[in-house]
Amino acid sequence: MGFRLKLREPLPDGLKRVFREQIDSALRLCQHPARQRGVTVHEVRKHLKKLRAAMRLAVGEVGKNQHAREDRCVREIGRLVSDLRDAQVRLQTLIQLREETANGSGESHFARIFTSAVSADLLKRSRNRFRKVFMPGASG
């Protein structure tokens, strides 16, 4: 559902409330991700899009330059969330390819190139980027 402004609520107060609700909802999803990371990413990005839409309503109050800075920040957060999901999908794809190659030909050139250390490092770097944005106090 979209956001709603209350009838007798002053516009600045209503927008601030909407900003907080969208940010809080996105953060809650990140702290308790669904089993399917793609679902969590999709829901987080929906909240970020609603936040950006609400922010556009405040351009007159904050000015174009301030709005542009804040909008870039929220857009970058959305990209980071997507990057984490994309890294997970790439990792799963590589693991599946390694298994299929090993099962099909006996000797796998792919298995020699792709090690678990590489896959773990890829996932760890993506998770660390995600944590820096969404969970600054969490250890990596």
Side-chain angles (χ1 to χ4, degrees), residues 79-130:
R79 287 185 183 138
L80 289 171
V81 172
S82 294
D83 288 349
L84 180 62
R85 177 203 51 210
D86 295 347
Q88 182 72 32
V89 169
R90 285 191 300 270
L91 176 60
Q92 289 172 343
T93 301
L94 289 171
I95 290 169
Q96 184 178 355
L97 283 171
R98 180 183 65 184
E99 289 170 357
E100 289 174 2
T101 303
N103 291 339
S105 65
E107 168 94 27
S108 171
H109 298 290
F110 184 76
R112 280 187 270 150
I113 295 169
F114 180 75
T115 65
S116 60
V118 171
S119 65
D121 184 56
L122 172 68
L123 187 57
K124 182 179 178 183
R125 284 186 286 147
S126 295
R127 285 181 177 157
N128 287 340
R129 262 184 95 190
F130 181 82

Side-chain angles (χ1 to χ4, degrees), residues 55 58-59 61-72:
M55 288 169 51
V59 172
E61 291 293 316
V62 299
K64 289 183 179 181
N65 290 338
Q66 179 69 25
H67 172 264
R69 281 192 298 274
E70 299 295 331
D71 188 63
R72 271 194 304 276

